[in-house]
Amino acid sequence: MTRTLTRFLIEEQRRHQHATGNFTALVNDVRLACKRIATLMGKGALSGALGEVDTVNVQGEQQKKLDVLSNDIFIRTNEWGGQLAGMVSEEMEQPYAIPAEYPRGKYLLLFDPLDGSSNVDVNMAVGSIFSVLRCPEGVTEPTVEDFLQPGTEQVCAGYAIYGPSTMFVLTMGRGVHGFTLDREIGEFMLTHPDLRIPESTDEFAINASNSRHWEQPIKRYVRECQEGAAGPRGRDFNMRWIAAVVADTHRILMRGGVYMYPRDRKDLAKAGRLRLLYEANPIGFLIEQAGGRASTGREPVLTIKPESLHQRIGFVFGTRAEVERIERYHREYNDFEFKAPLFGSRSIFRSPA
């Protein structure tokens, strides 16, 4: 009998003698938020929610109607249950305080309510990403600093992908498991237990329009892949790019590959494009639990201590051997230095001596 997500969570809860059920309830609330967003996605233009609104988010990006609606769904579904001390979202500048009328819990929820929202209007796969941390002991009104924990501290992480089918992919530090939404009964069913990234691949994902801005190690890696069987890799590669990190992550979990959104010279004030707390950490946790590797291109991404809620970072992940090759190329050749004061001699991105 195929297990539901609820049964899976309860069975995991029973592994821990002193579990209270609060964590199970929290993941179930996140699941419900994703189901609600999936319903909106499934209606497409019939929902009346496509297109942009006259606002920008904290990142300075034009918001889609569905960005705003998805953010509100996450907040309203998760604020009242008593499992959370606070929330932060890619769409909000500051942490969301749990209203006074609701009890406080011991967890922190971090989320990107709708990753890849620019793809919505053209009916391509998008998703939601989430991460759960423990709130520091004794804290009931968490501040920004309480959320700035390295990815190694995550209790669980996952995403929902809204494509031809809706899937919920989850790790709690004991492997990665995928659940497919059965729309007839309204339940996520365990269809992909113990996902493992293949040890070899012939696919890579990168936004080739930025090639003129890449660092030399990235240029070298991509060039060698493009040279195919006649080049040093001795086999042909295909390039894939969906422009939604959830969709690219899902493909890599299912059949392998390497994803690159590295830092580059396009904007010297930024250490990368993806958000550390809402994208790199949860995706990195999933990838490493599935046997892959998640990196900045130089070092493991999960070990980095965040400096701000909306910190951006270079991100390379996927099949372990490919990511390790990219890290080796950076060690062998690196002439790139950020000129912005934030990334001076004390920066985590400083080139190795």
Side-chain angles (χ1 to χ4, degrees):
M1 178 180 177
T2 303
R3 286 185 289 173
T4 65
L5 174 57
T6 301
R7 177 174 174 176
F8 175 87
L9 292 171
I10 291 173
E11 289 175 351
E12 287 296 309
Q13 176 185 318
R14 289 172 178 167
R15 294 176 182 271
H16 304 279
Q17 181 179 357
H18 302 292
T20 62
N22 286 332
F23 176 75
T24 299
L26 170 57
V27 178
N28 266 319
D29 285 346
V30 173
R31 167 199 61 94
L32 179 57
C34 293
K35 281 176 61 178
R36 288 171 169 166
I37 295 170
T39 299
L40 277 176
M41 296 296 109
K43 291 180 179 178
L46 299 175
S47 70
L50 300 187
E52 296 179 343
V53 292
D54 295 328
T55 58
V56 296
N57 64 15
V58 66
Q59 317 289 340
E61 300 164 337
Q62 192 74 37
Q63 289 183 303
K64 301 284 188 180
K65 291 179 183 178
L66 284 167
D67 285 321
V68 178
L69 289 171
S70 299
N71 193 70
D72 190 63
I73 287 171
F74 254 87
I75 290 172
R76 301 301 166 227
T77 307
N78 288 281
E79 67 180 351
W80 63 274
Q83 293 83 40
L84 293 176
M87 291 183 269
V88 291
S89 165
E90 182 181 314
E91 299 298 327
M92 301 186 298
E93 184 174 1
Q94 295 296 324
Y96 178 80
I98 303 298
E101 63 265 31
Y102 300 135
R104 301 295 194 276
K106 61 180 181 180
Y107 296 107
L108 303 172
L109 179 63
L110 305 82
F111 59 91
D112 179 353
L114 194 61
D115 171 71
S117 58
S118 62
N119 286 339
V120 169
D121 291 350
V122 294
N123 202 25
M124 292 177 63
V126 295
S128 302
I129 311 172
F130 67 92
S131 170
V132 177
L133 299 168
R134 288 185 178 86
C135 188
E137 190 72 28
V139 173
T140 58
E141 298 292 341
T143 63
V144 168
E145 183 61 33
D146 295 317
F147 290 90
L148 302 182
Q149 302 179 35
T152 51
E153 297 300 313
Q154 292 175 103
V155 178
C156 82
Y159 64 81
I161 182 169
Y162 315 116
S165 63
T166 294
M167 286 191 65
F168 190 87
V169 180
L170 176 72
T171 183
M172 296 181 288
R174 289 170 46 85
V176 179
H177 309 280
F179 303 80
T180 302
L181 179 61
D182 185 333
R183 292 184 173 92
E184 293 182 357
I185 63 173
E187 280 282 2
F188 282 100
M189 311 300 291
L190 179 61
T191 52
H192 295 73
D194 298 314
L195 286 168
R196 301 293 295 177
I197 296 174
E199 296 181 1
S200 64
T201 184
D202 55 9
E203 291 185 347
F204 68 96
I206 194 167
N207 184 354
S209 68
N210 290 325
S211 60
R212 66 192 183 281
H213 304 296
W214 294 339
E215 302 173 73
Q216 288 301 323
I218 297 297
K219 289 182 177 179
R220 175 185 173 184
Y221 179 84
V222 173
R223 182 179 65 249
E224 290 180 352
C225 290
Q226 291 173 331
E227 288 174 355
R233 301 304 305 274
R235 65 182 188 276
D236 293 328
F237 281 75
N238 291 316
M239 187 175 77
R240 302 284 185 256
W241 183 253
I242 304 177
V245 68
V246 161
D248 282 307
T249 300
H250 195 70
R251 184 188 63 252
I252 288 170
L253 279 173
M254 294 296 157
R255 69 186 194 200
V258 61
Y259 175 97
M260 294 169 281
Y261 213 143
R263 77 181 197 186
D264 57 39
R265 298 176 183 268
K266 190 174 184 178
D267 185 345
L268 296 181
K270 293 180 180 178
R273 296 287 186 270
L274 298 185
R275 288 75 173 179
L276 176 58
L277 290 179
Y278 314 108
E279 294 167 318
N281 274 347
I283 296 300
F285 191 19
L286 286 161
I287 292 296
E288 299 246 337
Q289 282 293 312
R293 184 166 176 82
S295 173
T296 65
R298 293 166 171 76
E299 60 184 325
V301 73
L302 296 182
T303 62
I304 294 172
K305 175 68 167 69
E307 298 176 355
S308 65
L309 286 181
H310 300 286
Q311 179 178 346
R312 296 179 187 245
I313 200 166
F315 196 26
V316 177
F317 67 83
T319 299
R320 176 171 290 275
E322 298 301 310
V323 177
E324 289 175 343
R325 176 183 289 268
I326 292 168
E327 290 174 327
R328 175 165 60 84
Y329 287 0
H330 278 93
R331 290 194 300 270
E332 292 175 356
Y333 184 90
N334 185 5
D335 66 346
F336 186 89
E337 290 285 349
F338 274 99
K339 297 180 180 179
L342 178 61
F343 302 103
S345 60
R346 292 177 59 84
S347 168
I348 58 176
F349 299 101
R350 186 181 182 188
S351 301

